[in-house]
């Protein structure tokens, strides 16, 4: 007998709109859901702005997010949020305003993809990283946010200061 | 006063003098901005403002009563302000209201409500009965008229695995009733979603062009299809935007080309069509505004033309809209923050085929946020603009209207 979960998963596969793809095997969720989770879990948010057909997103997914240790670390340290910067999917902001993912990109000035933003649990921007990044880069950004270095240093100062 | 400011002032005044339109003072459409109320102009194809024999109507969505609903306000031909706000939608949550003028001071509006696409007629202060034209989960309605009571609607509707563009022909009838004449698929979505359609009808009504975002080839491309029988059937999809990658990064991933989104279309009377869209071919500075024209003879869109000027090249452009008429006027508007905050910027296509230097729209630029424009030209070539105004990106907002009177001798 197929259980309810399987039915739901199959339904989503058949009926769900094909938004741009986040790295596989990561628990990326929608922005509004991510804000709620971050608040509840007192965790920062890793916000990935991607785009359907974004070759550089594909590159980062394959070269960096395929790293098992990085995956484990990011799942542990962040609420993972993926936004398709061109999509019309609707999000509800904490203010009650409902906007599209594309317009969320406008508000966060996600002019290019991939664009990685690190946010605190209230959605305030802590760091902004455009373009392709290596596993080592992502590890440093994780330290900058998770260890609270953003409170006393800019990201540039942190990276320059010997990490 | 420093030389810089003198020079800057001269440049501004030169730009204003060169504009074919003289702009009037902005007018509030949706009332004052209120705490907790968020206003959106998001019609597919950016069809959120319309004219009809001197009347102007704007449709928008806001949550003034706690839930997002579709509203309309109209301005009479000689009135200085907009009249009462009428609620278009029913009890459900709404997105993306669109509106067109069909003559005689009448309009047709449409919107998405709880996954259904609805349309209804508007005349004076009366509203016709709403009519549902979608049959499955649907959204992103856009509208166009043949100016003889005929209406073409296009929208994105769930069809099996993907969303695809549907179309309908409607006729305005007595007692504000809309009659559904026919429906069909513009193109079959077999390998990816189709979204955010736009539609325009050549004067006379026989030729209809629909454009949309297509995700069947690995990146988002703008496709279009032509109907030569007043919108009963559409021909094969054709490509509108140039998407071949010209920058670095060929080797990365499954690179199928640069992206594009949010096409808008306008008819140039009976002489042809013009399209604009947000284009990602310059990946370093975000989306640019690109345009293409198709003449009435073959309705095939030609070379892509960059619309924004050099000062806008290093900044992302958003929400491009387009208006045109049969007297050679083609004008595009969008928002970008090249001056620090989002403003409306205007460019018109000159007689030599080039696009004018961009003009920050008077009354729609300066401090705060002015964004999400919609634009239409009336029969006199006068320009009508609606946009969202707010103090900052996430603050409460309202809809503003500004008009531009065509200067004598301008073409």
């Amino acid at each position: 007998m197929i259980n309810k979960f399987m039915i739901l998963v199959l339904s989503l596969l058949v009926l769900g709109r094909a938004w741009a793809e986040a790295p596989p095997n990561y628990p990326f969720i929608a922005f509004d859901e991510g804000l709620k989770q971050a608040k509840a879990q007192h965790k920062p948010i890793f916000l990935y702005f991607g785009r359907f057909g974004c070759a550089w997103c594909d590159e980062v997914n394959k070269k960096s997010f395929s790293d098992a240790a990085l995956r484990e670390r990011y799942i542990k340290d962040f609420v993972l949020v993926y936004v398709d910067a061109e999509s019309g999917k609707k999000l509800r902001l904490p203010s009650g305003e409902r906007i599209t993912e594309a317009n969320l990109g406008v508000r966060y000035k996600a002019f290019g993809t991939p664009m990685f933003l690190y946010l605190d649990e209230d959605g305030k921007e802590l760091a902004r990283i455009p373009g392709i990044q290596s596993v080592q880069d992502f590890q440093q950004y994780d330290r900058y946010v998770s260890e609270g270095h953003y409170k006393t240093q800019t990201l540039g100062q942190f990276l320059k200061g010997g990490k | 006063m420093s030389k810089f400011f003198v020079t800057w002032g001269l440049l501004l005044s030169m730009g204003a003098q060169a504009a074919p339109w003289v702009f009037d003072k902005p007018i509030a459409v949706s009332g004052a901005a209120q705490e907790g109320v968020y206003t959106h102009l998001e019609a597919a194809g950016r069809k959120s403002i319309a004219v009809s024999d001197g009347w102007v109507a704007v449709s928008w969505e806001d949550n003034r009563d706690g839930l997002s609903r579709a509203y309309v306000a109209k301005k009479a031909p000689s009135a200085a302000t907009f009249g009462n706000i009428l609620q278009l939608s029913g009890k459900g949550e709404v997105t993306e209201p669109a509106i067109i003028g069909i003559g005689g001071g009448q309009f047709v509006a449409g919107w998405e409500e709880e996954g259904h696409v609805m349309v209804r007629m508007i005349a004076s202060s009366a509203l016709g009965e709403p009519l549902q034209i979608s049959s499955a989960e649907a959204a992103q309605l856009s509208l166009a008229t043949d100016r003889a009571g005929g209406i073409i609607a296009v929208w994105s509707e769930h069809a099996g695995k993907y969303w695809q563009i549907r179309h309908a022909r409607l006729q305005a009838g007595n007692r504000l009733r809309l009659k559904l004449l026919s429906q069909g698929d513009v193109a079959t979505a077999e390998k990816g979603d189709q979204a955010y359609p736009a539609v325009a009808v050549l004067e006379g009504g026989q030729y209809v062009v629909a454009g949309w975002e297509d995700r069947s080839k690995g990146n988002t491309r703008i496709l279009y299809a032509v109907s030569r029988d007043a919108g009963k059937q559409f021909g094969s999809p054709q490509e509108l935007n140039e998407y071949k990658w010209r920058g670095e990064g060929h080797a990365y991933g499954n690179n199928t080309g640069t992206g594009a989104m949010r096409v808008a279309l306008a008819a140039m009377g009976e002489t042809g069509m013009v399209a604009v869209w947000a284009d990602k071919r310059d990946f370093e500075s975000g989306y640019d505004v690109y345009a293409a024209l198709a003449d009435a003879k073959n309705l095939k869109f030609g070379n892509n033309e960059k619309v924004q000027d050099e000062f806008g090249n290093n900044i992302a452009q958003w929400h491009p809209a387009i208006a045109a008429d049969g007297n050679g006027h083609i004008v595009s508007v969008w928002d970008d923050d090249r001056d620090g905050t989002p403003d409306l910027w205007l460019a018109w296509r000159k007689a030599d085929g080039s696009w004018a230097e961009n003009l920050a729209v008077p009354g729609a630029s300066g401090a705060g946020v002015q964004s999400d424009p919609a634009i239409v030209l009336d029969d006199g070539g006068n320009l009508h603009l609606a946009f969202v105004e707010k103090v900052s990106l996430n603050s409460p907002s309202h809809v503003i209207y500004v008009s531009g009177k065509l200067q004598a001798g301008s073409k």
Side-chain angles (χ1 to χ4, degrees):
Chain A
M1 184 176 142
I2 303 174
N3 65 27
K4 283 183 183 173
F5 174 76
M6 284 301 293
I7 291 172
L8 178 66
V9 170
L10 286 170
S11 301
L12 287 171
L13 283 173
V14 173
L15 297 173
R17 193 160 196 166
W19 308 111
E21 290 169 6
N25 304 319
Y26 278 74
F28 278 94
I29 56 178
F31 179 76
D32 43 6
E33 187 57 34
L35 280 176
K36 287 179 195 164
Q37 279 197 21
K39 200 91 173 163
Q41 298 171 14
H42 301 296
K43 269 185 169 183
I45 293 169
F46 174 69
L47 170 56
Y48 181 158
F49 278 105
R51 179 176 62 81
F52 180 75
C54 166
W56 287 332
C57 305
D58 199 30
E59 175 77 0
V60 175
N61 292 351
K62 284 176 180 163
K63 296 278 177 66
S64 299
F65 288 116
S66 59
D67 185 89
L70 184 71
R71 176 180 175 276
E72 188 178 342
R73 187 169 176 163
Y74 266 56
I75 289 173
K76 177 174 72 67
D77 290 344
F78 297 104
V79 171
L80 303 175
V81 170
Y82 182 87
V83 170
D84 174 349
E86 289 183 346
S87 103
K89 186 180 174 186
K90 301 292 186 299
L91 302 162
R92 199 177 301 278
L93 302 178
S95 62
E97 183 177 14
R98 203 164 59 132
I99 63 171
T100 62
E101 288 197 329
N103 276 327
L104 187 77
V106 178
R107 295 196 186 184
Y108 273 108
K109 299 184 186 297
F111 63 87
T113 55
M115 178 80 79
F116 306 104
L117 270 65
Y118 294 81
L119 312 176
D120 69 13
E121 63 181 65
D122 295 317
K124 186 185 162 198
E125 189 176 318
L126 305 175
R128 162 183 295 258
I129 316 291
I132 293 177
Q133 308 296 322
S134 68
V135 171
Q136 291 71 29
D137 293 333
F138 281 119
Q139 287 169 344
Q140 293 297 346
Y141 308 144
D142 179 5
R143 282 194 55 220
Y144 176 69
V145 174
S146 299
E147 296 175 6
H149 297 286
Y150 67 86
K151 293 172 185 168
T152 55
Q153 293 174 291
T154 65
L155 179 62
Q157 289 167 336
F158 171 73
L159 295 174
K160 205 173 177 180
K163 301 139 190 180
Chain B
M1 194 183 285
S2 71
K3 280 183 185 172
F4 171 80
F5 284 112
V6 171
T7 309
W8 187 238
L10 277 171
L11 283 170
L12 280 177
S13 100
M14 284 166 67
Q17 284 168 16
W21 299 275
V22 175
F23 290 87
D24 217 333
K25 286 182 179 174
I27 302 171
V29 177
S30 63
Q34 299 172 51
E35 193 59 37
V37 176
Y38 302 96
T39 307
H40 303 113
L41 292 171
E42 286 191 314
R46 304 217 62 78
K47 294 282 184 72
S48 298
I49 187 168
V51 290
S52 179
D53 288 337
W55 287 79
V56 179
V58 180
S59 66
W60 72 93
E61 166 259 303
D62 73 41
N63 62 332
R64 65 184 56 209
D65 72 353
L67 202 66
S68 296
R69 303 190 194 282
Y71 297 96
V72 65
K74 294 187 300 164
K75 190 172 85 62
S78 56
T81 58
F82 277 77
N84 292 340
I85 295 168
L86 300 174
Q87 184 176 323
L88 290 167
S89 57
K91 293 178 179 175
E93 197 162 35
V94 161
T95 57
E96 302 145 355
I99 194 162
I100 49 160
I102 58 170
Q106 297 187 321
F107 298 87
V108 171
W111 62 93
E112 177 270 326
E113 183 168 350
E114 302 290 349
H116 306 294
V117 168
M118 314 293 294
V119 290
R120 78 190 304 178
M121 273 185 74
I122 305 164
S124 60
S125 59
L127 298 173
E129 284 298 309
L131 173 69
Q132 182 180 325
I133 55 173
S134 57
S135 49
E137 186 183 1
Q140 300 163 358
L141 172 75
S142 200
L143 297 164
T145 177
D146 64 5
R147 296 168 65 103
I151 297 116
I152 304 290
V154 293
W155 67 93
S156 179
E157 184 167 309
H158 204 242
K161 192 174 179 184
Y162 300 111
W163 291 65
Q164 68 182 34
I165 306 306
R166 297 268 297 162
H167 67 93
R169 290 188 310 129
L170 301 139
Q171 187 70 37
N174 294 331
R175 287 184 285 181
L176 301 181
R177 287 189 186 279
L178 284 171
K179 186 178 179 187
L180 182 59
L181 301 177
S182 67
Q183 280 185 301
D185 298 331
V186 173
T188 307
E190 293 176 341
K191 293 180 178 174
D193 286 326
Q194 301 171 348
Y196 283 98
V199 64
V201 182
L202 273 195
E203 207 162 286
Q206 189 182 354
Y207 300 107
V208 181
V209 172
W212 66 91
E213 293 174 19
D214 185 278
R215 290 186 167 192
S216 63
K217 298 278 175 66
N219 65 329
T220 308
R221 297 179 187 179
I222 307 296
L223 302 186
Y224 69 100
V226 177
S227 167
R228 297 175 188 277
D229 58 5
K232 291 176 190 156
Q233 294 179 78
F234 284 81
S236 301
Q238 299 172 67
E239 292 176 341
L240 205 164
N241 67 306
E242 296 155 354
Y243 54 82
K244 286 186 181 169
W245 190 263
R246 290 192 172 87
E248 296 176 355
H250 294 271
Y252 292 130
N254 301 315
N255 192 349
T256 49
T258 57
M261 66 172 178
R262 306 302 188 266
V263 64
L265 287 166
M268 303 181 293
E270 57 183 11
T271 65
M273 298 276 185
V274 56
V276 294
W277 64 93
D279 194 296
K280 201 60 184 300
R281 69 187 67 185
D282 178 2
F283 66 94
E284 289 179 324
S285 64
Y287 293 93
D288 296 321
V289 181
Y290 271 80
L293 275 67
D295 65 42
K297 191 177 174 187
N298 57 20
L299 286 174
K300 193 170 179 61
F301 283 95
N303 292 339
N304 295 182
E305 302 172 358
K306 188 159 71 174
V307 175
Q308 90 265 4
D309 63 18
E310 296 299 311
F311 294 105
N313 272 351
N314 295 324
I315 210 91
Q317 280 71 40
W318 306 101
H319 312 116
I322 186 79
D325 65 15
N327 297 316
H329 301 117
I330 301 172
V331 55
S332 178
V333 65
W334 64 90
D335 59 81
D336 73 43
D337 60 0
R338 71 181 75 175
D339 282 352
T341 55
D343 297 317
L344 295 202
W345 291 88
L346 202 71
W348 52 96
R349 198 169 186 272
K350 297 188 286 190
D352 65 2
S354 64
W355 289 84
E357 286 185 15
N358 303 166
L359 173 73
V361 179
S365 53
V369 175
Q370 294 86 24
S371 67
D372 301 82
I375 190 171
V376 68
L377 291 174
D378 63 25
D379 288 340
N382 303 306
L383 184 156
H384 304 266
L385 270 169
F387 59 97
V388 173
E389 183 182 70
K390 49 192 171 182
V391 173
S392 62
L393 285 171
N394 291 303
S395 63
S397 51
H398 61 156
V399 179
I400 300 291
Y401 163 83
V402 68
S403 62
K405 187 164 180 52
L406 185 68
Q407 294 190 77
S410 293
K411 176 120 184 174

